[in-house]
Amino acid sequence: MKWISFFSLFCATFYVGATSNCPQTIDVDTSPVEGLLGTMLQVLLDRLDDMERKLSELQTELREHREEVERNRIPDCVSPTSATPPPDSTTPTTLTTTSTTQSTVTKPPNYVSCKNAPANVSGVYLIRINDTSAPFKVYCEMESFDGGWIVVQHRFDGTVDFFRRWFDYRNGFGEVDKEFWLGLEHIHQLTTVRAHEIVIEMKDFSGNYGYARYNAFQVGDENEQYILKTLGSYNGTAGDSLVQHKGRMFSTKDRDNDESPLIWASICESGWWHGVNDAYSNLNGRYVVTNVLKSNFWISFKEYRGMRFTRMMIREV
């Protein structure tokens, strides 16, 4: 508002200056006019100063109002766990520490095996074989056969192709809560660090169910071509169609370890512990119903008939 005052003062001064240039004969006549203008100018300046003061007060009130609104809004935007108490707060330090801990994202726990996971709750868990290994996901079966089992192979709808290369069988493929193969390296590590048993379940497309259980199971390392190193005694209802593969190295379509002129992994279209005369089991074969060598069969159960459901599980003993 100061510029308005200066402008008015300039105009009045200009006017007075202009009248002072008039002939001296009218000086007496214009003197009252000059006094009147001076009075009007002073009144105008006083009013302008008053308006400027009121405007300044309004601006101050507006600023204080905005600050009040901001102060009232801050508590709604800050998480209680992250708010810092004022310097004179009497809140114990332990409570502040507790709030900070609660705001931290909790990592899922790791277990040495499924036997250590919560009882009677089947699902996906993280397993850490030892303190130096990285954790990995497994599916723990906690109900069948008294629970505590790590599922290493599961097939039930044919959505996953099991006719794969060495790389896939070594590292694993599929999803552990769907159709999958856990991976030979994980199976080797698990069965080498601690003794394990194995149970194999199967069901054909007619609903016939059987299982084969062995009280010892171990797979060698990759330098040994993941050989089926140990297989304990059998019991079950499906018959023993794995003992013939004991001592056999694992083979895939791109790595033939069957010690036969034939490439059984290609004939049976699977990755398995194929042998010289491979006609006993092939649970990673094609998901088909027909009685052929490439099906996922267990010969002592239903000969070469393909299985609708298979599941291989190991458990620490």
Side-chain angles (χ1 to χ4, degrees), residues 144-145 199-212 236-239 301-302 307-311 313:
S144 300
F145 300 97
V199 62
I200 301 170
E201 297 180 284
M202 61 202 74
K203 184 184 294 185
D204 67 11
F205 284 87
S206 298
N208 300 302
Y209 172 84
Y211 74 91
T237 60
F301 182 57
K302 295 294 178 180
M307 296 291 109
R308 183 181 66 83
F309 161 84
T310 63
R311 186 165 65 166
M313 304 186 295

Side-chain angles (χ1 to χ4, degrees), residues 14-25:
F14 180 81
Y15 181 81
V16 172
T19 56
S20 66
N21 293 328
C22 294
Q24 294 295 324
T25 55

Side-chain angles (χ1 to χ4, degrees), residues 174-185:
E175 300 292 335
V176 295
D177 56 347
K178 299 176 182 178
E179 286 201 337
F180 77 100
W181 172 261
L182 184 61
L184 288 165
E185 186 59 34

